[in-house]
Amino acid sequence: MAVSWRVLVNTVLLITVVGNFAFLYSMYNAPNRYHPEGHGTDVMTMYEDGDISIAGGRVNMATTTTTATTPQHTMAEAEDKRAHVQSSEPLRVRAYSSKALARISVNDDTVLEVGESAGEAGRGIHVAVINGHTGALMDTNKFDTYVEGADLRLLSYLRGIHPNRIVALAVRDEASFHLGNDARMELIKMGSIKIGQLQWRDTWAMVARVGSPDKTSDALARAPDFNHWGEGVEVSAEFERHAEDNGCNWPDTPHFKQRRAFCARYDGYGELCRCDHPPAIAPSPSPAPPLPNMATTPLVIMASENRPKYLLRSLRSLLAAQGCIPSNIVVSIDGVDKMEAEDVCKLVGVTAMRHRPTSEKNGRISQHYKFALTAMFDRFKDAEHVIVMEEDLDAAPDFFRFFSTALPLLKSDPTLYCISAWNDQGYTHSTGDVTRLYRVETMPGLGWLLSRRLYKQELEPRWPGPDKLWDWDMWMRMNENRKDRECIVPDVSRTFHFGATGLNVNDYFQKLYFAKHRLNDDPTAVVNTQDMTAEAYDAALRRQIAASHILDTQQPCGTMVPDALENTNTPLVLYMTMKSAGDHETWLQLAKCWHLWDLDVRGFHKGVWRFYRKGNPIAVVGTPYSPFSSHKPDALEPLFMAAPKKKQTR
């Protein structure tokens, strides 16, 4: 007997639907987990250098300066939509969901609206967090739960919203496909009755007050069949304004006054704004002598005005790294309309500057990079090098030591182009030595250092204009700019890409290509810079290949490493077919098999890829293109893996 698609989906979600009632029952018969947090009683200690210690951490309180490319009142006017007129009238919150539109309003003023023109970028669950006393919009966010991984971010986000905030959720297009049980259960705890029933292309909306699940309202409209969407659905609720929140009982210091104001204006910052035992902005690393080269090497963080929470996470990791000099950090914010990213900089105590956007899409990002690099070398006139970070990168605890140790290589070797903290092939299963460095012909980015001479004499005069919608990093990788020079990268990366939203990334892409990268966690690690000049590196690589165990090429997608050799640090070599510099057919298939970077070709040196395989250093040698293929035994047939044939379309 044929079974309809809806019957199948209902069967899969049966446990979740039944769970609605169990969780709702438990909420009314157990202590409320959303009780307001208690007031902290931590003691703040002042240090002679102006730092403060909170709950064992230490924070530098340097003064923030801001360079704006637009009058301050313009940004303030753009922010006016955050603040709803205060009055005694109740707050009427509406959320509307449909295939083409998600909209949220407070007392008939629209605070969030995403239409069909947003395309896939507007798909998923849209969330607005509203101050329960003033009615001000505190935060908005979007979770594309059509793709894998977004529901975990949604779960974390919901758990970080503070009690008495009003939360409105609206769906545009589709939100059920990868909305897992944990996120659904969290919404049920908040009072949702319908979320357990949400299925393919149903529409759903919800309005709730955090900590008061009995005040929650949600509604759902069924999709009539697999190929169509549910009708538009709207839910509304009216909330009495709660008493004005005077903030946490934190010490009466400039920092905590600033933090209190920040947390009253914005939401979604979790533990940073909790009243009980608030963490330091960043724990101070253990005392250590200044790192060579770092006092005159500033760092710029490339940031958009739309991802301030990413920016805070990145800044906290940098401030916790050994050798960090906060006064050397500048955040370049692309955009002049929103204040939150700049307020993050003020809270942390670093300098911010703003870039008025030009161009669009990748061209806009490219113009922002040119603006920031020019500004940094102009601002720090004695700096011969600049480190470039991005707002969605964590820094390793030895981030600055890595650059301090590797920088002399760039200074002394004209065959080098840059130093990068990121290894494109540096996954948890493909790395093995925190001290090892490689030379690669591609510019990795994602935490990198370049020289004033390179930028001012070569790159800046030729930088693509606003009319070129190019990726800046792809442009820098072109050999007309690189000129056969190479970059130094570590075996184990000193940055970690955590951003799941952006122009060129989503939750699925982040999980597939970035989430399993390895970040060094050893603060005492020191990279080995021996044999890193061009001639010495090639000589050492030849010695390694000559002494390596040659892998069988018959089962390329298997382990290929004999059991007796696993995790023995035995050098391995694999010879594969590579007839010319542009012949990457076999490598891309092998990279896919071994779960390495396979979107394009990166991380090679003269036709050789180096990483770790089953706990052993391996060199994959392109034959006959690579000069290192001369070590291949004559009788050995190099590995060849054909790319799958493309399906023909009529």
Side-chain angles (χ1 to χ4, degrees), residues 27-39:
M27 283 191 299
Y28 290 108
N29 291 275
N32 190 347
R33 68 182 290 268
Y34 288 98
H35 65 278
E37 295 175 305
H39 297 301

Side-chain angles (χ1 to χ4, degrees), residues 127-181:
V127 185
V129 181
I130 299 152
N131 187 299
H133 172 68
T134 65
L137 177 66
M138 302 189 73
D139 193 38
T140 61
N141 214 323
K142 189 266 295 184
F143 305 90
D144 185 7
T145 49
Y146 174 81
V147 301
E148 191 174 357
D151 62 329
L152 299 179
R153 288 195 303 111
L154 173 62
L155 175 64
S156 176
Y157 183 81
L158 293 174
R159 287 176 173 173
I161 300 174
H162 285 258
N164 287 323
R165 307 287 197 231
I166 297 171
V167 182
L169 301 95
V171 170
R172 211 223 80 192
D173 193 353
E174 215 292 309
S176 70
F177 191 44
H178 280 104
L179 182 61
N181 281 346

Side-chain angles (χ1 to χ4, degrees), residues 361-590:
K361 298 182 179 179
N362 293 324
R364 172 174 172 171
I365 296 174
S366 174
Q367 294 309 301
H368 183 206
Y369 266 83
K370 181 181 181 183
F371 162 83
L373 289 171
T374 298
M376 289 299 288
F377 283 116
D378 289 347
R379 182 186 187 97
F380 295 89
K381 298 188 182 301
D382 294 332
E384 291 302 319
H385 302 86
V386 166
I387 299 171
V388 183
M389 278 283 281
E390 296 176 12
E391 67 193 333
D392 56 358
L393 298 176
D394 283 330
D398 69 331
F399 176 86
F400 292 103
R401 181 183 291 111
F402 165 77
F403 282 110
S404 173
T405 306
L407 183 53
L409 296 173
L410 183 65
K411 288 182 177 181
S412 62
D413 189 346
T415 69
L416 291 178
Y417 191 47
C418 74
I419 298 171
S420 177
W422 174 263
N423 178 3
D424 285 309
Q425 309 299 346
Y427 295 89
T428 54
H429 65 278
S430 59
T431 54
D433 187 351
V434 296
T435 70
R436 175 165 284 195
L437 297 175
Y438 302 126
R439 293 176 68 107
V440 297
E441 295 177 28
T442 50
M443 200 286 292
L446 299 183
W448 57 289
L449 178 149
L450 81 165
S451 70
R452 174 186 292 271
R453 183 200 58 77
L454 173 65
Y455 181 69
K456 285 295 186 180
Q457 296 182 18
E458 299 184 40
L459 300 179
E460 186 181 43
R462 303 183 64 250
W463 200 275
D467 58 317
K468 301 293 192 298
L469 304 184
W470 297 347
D471 289 313
W472 68 271
D473 51 344
M474 294 297 186
W475 176 79
M476 283 194 63
R477 291 179 186 130
M478 295 170 61
N479 200 43
E480 63 186 75
N481 297 315
R482 188 175 61 83
K483 299 177 182 177
D484 293 325
R485 291 169 292 189
E486 296 185 301
C487 291
I488 297 291
V489 303
D491 179 62
V492 181
S493 294
R494 266 56 178 186
T495 55
F496 176 79
H497 185 283
F498 62 80
T501 61
L503 180 62
N504 299 310
V505 69
N506 60 23
D507 290 277
Y508 178 73
F509 192 89
Q510 166 67 20
K511 181 176 181 179
L512 190 63
Y513 285 102
F514 293 119
K516 294 182 180 179
H517 260 78
R518 179 181 172 188
L519 176 69
N520 177 49
D521 59 2
D522 180 2
T524 66
V526 179
V527 291
N528 183 358
T529 59
Q530 289 186 333
D531 295 330
M532 292 307 297
T533 61
E535 291 184 4
Y537 186 83
D538 284 0
L541 180 54
R542 283 193 178 278
R543 291 193 298 270
Q544 176 183 317
I545 292 174
S548 292
H549 174 86
I550 301 175
L551 292 180
D552 182 10
T553 61
Q554 299 305 308
Q555 295 180 323
C557 285
T559 64
M560 297 182 69
V561 179
D563 292 344
L565 292 182
E566 286 192 15
N567 299 308
T568 60
N569 205 36
T570 301
L572 308 173
V573 62
L574 173 67
Y575 294 98
M576 69 169 191
T577 300
M578 184 177 177
K579 298 178 181 178
S580 65
D583 178 14
H584 300 128
E585 184 175 13
T586 296
W587 166 253
L588 288 174
Q589 301 313 306
L590 184 64

Side-chain angles (χ1 to χ4, degrees), residues 11 76 156 183 198 478 632:
T11 302
S156 176
L198 182 69
M478 295 170 61
K632 182 186 75 68

Side-chain angles (χ1 to χ4, degrees), residues 96-103 112-116 170-173:
Y96 174 81
S97 301
S98 71
K99 171 191 174 184
L101 178 66
R103 182 174 58 226
L112 182 151
E113 185 171 277
V114 180
E116 201 164 20
V171 170
R172 211 223 80 192
D173 193 353

Side-chain angles (χ1 to χ4, degrees), residues 110-399:
T110 299
V111 296
L112 182 151
E113 185 171 277
V114 180
E116 201 164 20
S117 61
E120 289 187 1
R123 179 182 58 201
I125 298 176
H126 295 264
V127 185
V129 181
I130 299 152
N131 187 299
H133 172 68
T134 65
L137 177 66
M138 302 189 73
D139 193 38
T140 61
N141 214 323
K142 189 266 295 184
F143 305 90
D144 185 7
T145 49
Y146 174 81
V147 301
E148 191 174 357
D151 62 329
L152 299 179
R153 288 195 303 111
L154 173 62
L155 175 64
S156 176
Y157 183 81
L158 293 174
R159 287 176 173 173
I161 300 174
H162 285 258
N164 287 323
R165 307 287 197 231
I166 297 171
V167 182
L169 301 95
V171 170
R172 211 223 80 192
D173 193 353
E174 215 292 309
S176 70
F177 191 44
H178 280 104
L179 182 61
N181 281 346
D182 288 346
R184 291 176 188 256
M185 292 304 181
E186 191 67 25
L187 290 163
I188 291 169
K189 293 175 188 178
M190 295 176 69
S192 172
I193 301 295
K194 303 290 187 179
I195 191 62
Q197 305 167 34
L198 182 69
Q199 299 171 20
W200 177 252
R201 289 182 176 173
D202 292 346
T203 51
W204 169 81
M206 171 175 145
V207 177
R209 168 165 266 160
V210 177
S212 301
D214 56 316
K215 304 295 185 182
T216 297
S217 298
D218 69 338
L220 179 142
R222 290 289 195 195
D225 54 53
F226 189 80
N227 296 315
H228 296 85
W229 284 259
E231 295 292 330
V233 63
E234 182 175 83
V235 63
S236 64
E238 190 171 280
F239 301 93
E240 295 297 326
R241 297 173 187 259
H242 69 72
E244 184 173 3
D245 186 358
N246 293 320
C248 300
N249 187 25
W250 289 334
D252 189 21
T253 65
H255 168 72
F256 276 106
K257 286 180 180 178
Q258 188 176 32
R259 191 191 284 209
R260 186 179 291 110
F262 181 89
C263 294
R265 188 174 192 186
Y266 305 111
D267 209 312
Y269 287 90
E271 65 172 14
L272 185 77
C273 294
R274 74 186 182 203
C275 291
D276 190 21
H277 301 291
I281 296 295
S284 181
S286 302
L291 295 172
N293 306 307
M294 289 297 98
T296 56
T297 304
L299 179 148
V300 62
I301 300 179
M302 307 300 298
S304 77
E305 62 180 1
N306 296 318
R307 303 195 296 179
K309 295 169 183 65
Y310 283 4
L311 174 60
L312 178 63
R313 173 172 167 174
S314 184
L315 279 167
R316 294 180 77 181
S317 70
L318 283 168
L319 292 171
Q322 289 278 358
C324 177
I325 303 174
S327 59
N328 274 359
I329 296 176
V330 176
V331 177
S332 183
I333 303 169
D334 185 45
V336 296
D337 294 328
K338 301 176 182 178
M339 288 296 298
E340 190 170 346
E342 187 173 328
D343 286 343
V344 165
C345 295
K346 293 177 181 177
L347 181 68
V348 172
V350 298
T351 300
M353 61 183 180
R354 285 185 173 268
H355 170 244
R356 182 180 292 279
T358 56
S359 190
E360 59 181 346
K361 298 182 179 179
N362 293 324
R364 172 174 172 171
I365 296 174
S366 174
Q367 294 309 301
H368 183 206
Y369 266 83
K370 181 181 181 183
F371 162 83
L373 289 171
T374 298
M376 289 299 288
F377 283 116
D378 289 347
R379 182 186 187 97
F380 295 89
K381 298 188 182 301
D382 294 332
E384 291 302 319
H385 302 86
V386 166
I387 299 171
V388 183
M389 278 283 281
E390 296 176 12
E391 67 193 333
D392 56 358
L393 298 176
D394 283 330
D398 69 331
F399 176 86

